[in-house]
Amino acid sequence: MLELTEGQYNLVYNSFSFVIAAMGAATVFFLLIRNRVAPRHRLAVTLTTLVTGIALYHYVRIFGSWESAFSFGDGVYTQDGQPFNEGYRYVDWLLTVPLLLAELVIVLKLAAGTTRSLLIRLSVASIAMIVLGYPGEIADPDSASRWVWWIAGMIPFLYILYVLFGELGRSLDRQGQTVKRLVDYLRYVLVVTWSVYPLAYLAPQFIDDAATAEVLRQVGYSVADVLAKPLFGLLVVVIALSKSRDEGYITAIDGSHAAEDTTLAEANANA
Amino acid sequence: MLELTEGQYNLVYNSFSFVIAAMGAATVFFLLIRNRVAPRHRLAVTLTTLVTGIALYHYVRIFGSWESAFSFGDGVYTQDGQPFNEGYRYVDWLLTVPLLLAELVIVLKLAAGTTRSLLIRLSVASIAMIVLGYPGEIADPDSASRWVWWIAGMIPFLYILYVLFGELGRSLDRQGQTVKRLVDYLRYVLVVTWSVYPLAYLAPQFIDDAATAEVLRQVGYSVADVLAKPLFGLLVVVIALSKSRDEGYITAIDGSHAAEDTTLAEANANA
């Protein structure tokens, strides 16, 4: 039975609470900034709002599951309650990972055929990655099956990176300089933050002390989720704003944007 | 007394949580996309928002009922708490099934007489289907009455399919090609997902192991609800967007839409 010191327990507990606050704040921010973006780019902002909203829900559940899994006595937290439900993370990823890849593809406004093909392949690959990861996640820490499922999940993971850096790279020629730079930065953020997940997954493999491994895994996933969702979404919003500016929806001088109650044609005529 | 392994219990538990997240995200998405659709098609989007909102409420209740029905001990979950309330599903369907059939009829903008006749007959048939199904659902798994009510409920079910594929098919001639293709796809989604319900209903009839039957039934209903509500609603929204585009409310070039407070005619005149 897992025993955590007060410090270890609280580190995880406060990480979860931090993620709840970050996801909640990001959701409200994305809702509020949405109308600042040109209508044709709002779908991407809507999707990132859903991503952080869904994650907010799951972290509230994860927090509750963590609380009811442990009891405090003799200065230590003992995991003797309901089993901690690792499933919430996987259900969350099943919904949010395809959505966050979709928001990146959609904000780029590529040709319709390219968009459809990218959306389908990235969704299938990300669902495969998550479904293949789960059996290993709930397997015994010492079992070889943890490694087997880790390798199985890494195949679609590498395919996603190949699509984002290979294929998507070639589609970026039509984008403006600022957008190209932002997408480069965004892909860099993605590859760094996504690398935290497979590392956190393997914590029980490399760290003999079960308590330390569990703390590292939970804190690792939490930090990665904040970077991969609110920060990633913020960059998508910056791309959408930059495009809205380039397209004349937001004017450079006063930062105002075409009024809600005039058509774009009128706004351009007035400008 | 029903005993579930940790894996079986969690599969149902995480399915319910998945549906909560999916319904919540769908509700927010439909609320946000509503203004993108021409005012004359917004009622259909409003109805699908109600459908996923009502389902969100019921799944929160179902989740809570599932939690309080079981207790954990000796590594297994035993159903020794409050009886699990199957009624939530039926109350949910009583409200949502007529609404989701109505959103399909309304988005097509058929002749007023046809619309009224379809709405009345589809509502009556769907309510009959659900009311007739319930007595069998709560009957003893081994009793013949489960079969009797199943057959009784299948009659209005088949009538609904007859109306959607026969009568509604003949009304589609006035629709554009894209809309026709979308409606075909939507009816296909409907018939496939709706078939899951009568199959999940019969799980206790065909599977001797009570625990497996219960897990299959709950997961089956959950998956079917996600396909029949958020996915079905998404297709209705796509039809509404496609019509808004065809009618000139969303212009193809800039993706902007006519102003909220001007009529479509004015917006076109100004453009």
Side-chain angles (χ1 to χ4, degrees):
Chain A
M1 217 178 312
L2 197 64
E3 279 193 359
L4 301 183
T5 67
E6 205 182 316
Q8 286 176 323
Y9 177 87
N10 279 335
L11 184 58
V12 175
Y13 189 83
N14 288 323
S15 297
F16 291 161
S17 182
F18 166 79
V19 181
I20 291 172
M23 295 296 174
T27 306
V28 173
F29 176 77
F30 294 142
L31 276 174
L32 292 176
I33 202 127
R34 192 170 161 277
N35 280 343
R36 191 89 178 112
V37 167
R40 63 196 299 261
H41 299 304
R42 281 189 197 155
L43 181 57
V45 183
T46 302
L47 295 185
T48 198
T49 313
L50 300 186
V51 167
T52 53
I54 291 168
L56 170 64
Y57 163 75
H58 283 117
Y59 269 90
V60 170
R61 291 279 193 209
I62 288 170
F63 186 89
S65 181
W66 183 258
E67 266 190 315
S68 58
F70 289 86
S71 68
F72 184 71
D74 296 332
V76 292
Y77 281 92
T78 312
Q79 189 170 9
D80 54 5
Q82 298 240 335
F84 177 65
N85 181 12
E86 211 66 62
Y88 288 130
R89 288 196 187 286
Y90 281 77
V91 172
D92 178 75
W93 293 335
L94 214 52
L95 287 161
T96 56
V97 177
L99 283 173
L100 64 86
L101 290 171
E103 78 193 50
L104 168 60
V105 171
I106 283 168
V107 84
L108 294 176
K109 292 267 170 215
L110 307 169
T114 315
T115 300
R116 199 177 317 117
S117 156
L118 282 172
L119 286 180
I120 292 170
R121 285 180 297 141
L122 289 173
S123 298
V124 170
S126 55
I127 289 169
M129 172 177 81
I130 294 151
V131 168
L132 291 171
Y134 186 61
E137 183 77 85
I138 57 168
D140 197 78
D142 294 325
S143 76
S145 80
R146 234 183 132 80
W147 271 110
V148 172
W149 292 113
W150 183 85
I151 293 166
M154 283 303 279
I155 297 167
F157 176 87
L158 294 172
Y159 175 74
I160 294 171
L161 294 186
Y162 161 75
V163 170
L164 292 182
F165 283 84
E167 270 186 80
L168 194 72
R170 288 192 291 278
S171 307
L172 289 179
D173 295 337
R174 296 195 316 172
Q175 311 287 326
Q177 274 311 312
T178 318
V179 170
K180 239 190 237 172
R181 227 187 35 244
L182 284 166
V183 174
D184 269 345
Y185 184 54
L186 187 146
R187 291 190 299 185
Y188 174 75
V189 165
L190 189 139
V191 78
V192 169
T193 60
W194 279 33
S195 303
V196 178
Y197 295 105
L199 290 176
Y201 187 102
L202 289 180
Q205 247 64 20
F206 288 111
I207 295 159
D208 281 341
D209 179 47
T212 309
E214 178 67 359
V215 170
L216 264 180
R217 200 161 59 89
Q218 297 302 339
V219 174
Y221 282 151
S222 303
V223 171
D225 273 344
V226 170
L227 299 174
K229 284 160 185 164
L231 177 66
F232 182 88
L234 184 62
L235 289 169
V236 167
V237 168
V238 171
I239 292 173
L241 284 168
S242 170
K243 289 188 153 210
S244 304
R245 207 168 285 121
D246 291 350
E247 292 156 8
Y249 182 78
I250 304 174
T251 63
I253 310 129
D254 59 16
S256 78
H257 57 76
E260 295 289 292
D261 59 347
T262 57
T263 65
L264 189 60
E266 283 178 323
N268 285 340
N270 293 340
Chain B
M1 217 178 312
L2 197 63
E3 279 193 359
L4 300 184
T5 66
E6 203 184 314
Q8 287 176 323
Y9 177 87
N10 278 336
L11 183 59
V12 175
Y13 188 82
N14 287 321
S15 297
F16 291 162
S17 182
F18 167 77
V19 181
I20 291 172
M23 295 296 173
T27 305
V28 172
F29 177 76
F30 294 142
L31 277 173
L32 291 177
I33 203 125
R34 193 170 160 279
N35 281 343
R36 192 92 176 109
V37 167
R40 64 196 296 261
H41 298 304
R42 284 191 195 153
L43 180 57
V45 182
T46 303
L47 294 185
T48 198
T49 314
L50 299 186
V51 166
T52 54
I54 293 168
L56 169 64
Y57 163 74
H58 283 116
Y59 269 89
V60 170
R61 291 280 190 208
I62 288 170
F63 186 90
S65 180
W66 182 258
E67 265 190 317
S68 59
F70 290 85
S71 68
F72 182 71
D74 296 332
V76 293
Y77 282 90
T78 312
Q79 188 168 12
D80 55 4
Q82 300 236 338
F84 178 65
N85 181 12
E86 211 67 63
Y88 288 131
R89 288 196 186 285
Y90 281 77
V91 172
D92 178 76
W93 293 335
L94 214 51
L95 287 161
T96 56
V97 178
L99 284 173
L100 64 87
L101 290 171
E103 78 193 50
L104 169 60
V105 171
I106 284 168
V107 84
L108 294 176
K109 292 267 171 217
L110 308 169
T114 315
T115 300
R116 199 178 317 114
S117 156
L118 282 172
L119 286 180
I120 292 170
R121 284 180 296 139
L122 289 173
S123 298
V124 171
S126 56
I127 290 169
M129 172 177 81
I130 293 152
V131 169
L132 291 170
Y134 187 61
E137 184 77 84
I138 57 167
D140 196 79
D142 295 324
S143 77
S145 80
R146 233 183 133 79
W147 270 109
V148 172
W149 292 113
W150 183 85
I151 293 165
M154 283 303 278
I155 297 166
F157 176 87
L158 293 173
Y159 175 72
I160 294 170
L161 294 187
Y162 161 75
V163 171
L164 292 183
F165 283 83
E167 270 185 81
L168 194 72
R170 288 192 290 280
S171 308
L172 289 180
D173 295 338
R174 297 195 315 172
Q175 311 287 325
Q177 273 311 312
T178 318
V179 170
K180 239 191 236 170
R181 226 186 39 240
L182 285 166
V183 175
D184 270 344
Y185 184 54
L186 188 147
R187 290 190 302 183
Y188 174 75
V189 165
L190 189 141
V191 79
V192 169
T193 59
W194 280 33
S195 302
V196 178
Y197 295 104
L199 290 176
Y201 187 102
L202 289 180
Q205 247 65 20
F206 287 110
I207 295 159
D208 281 340
D209 179 48
T212 310
E214 179 66 358
V215 170
L216 263 179
R217 199 162 58 89
Q218 297 301 339
V219 173
Y221 282 151
S222 303
V223 171
D225 272 345
V226 169
L227 299 174
K229 285 160 184 163
L231 178 66
F232 182 87
L234 184 61
L235 288 169
V236 168
V237 167
V238 171
I239 292 173
L241 284 169
S242 172
K243 289 187 153 210
S244 304
R245 209 168 284 122
D246 291 350
E247 292 157 8
Y249 181 77
I250 303 174
T251 63
I253 310 128
D254 59 21
S256 78
H257 57 75
E260 298 287 291
D261 57 349
T262 56
T263 65
L264 190 59
E266 282 176 323
N268 285 340
N270 292 340

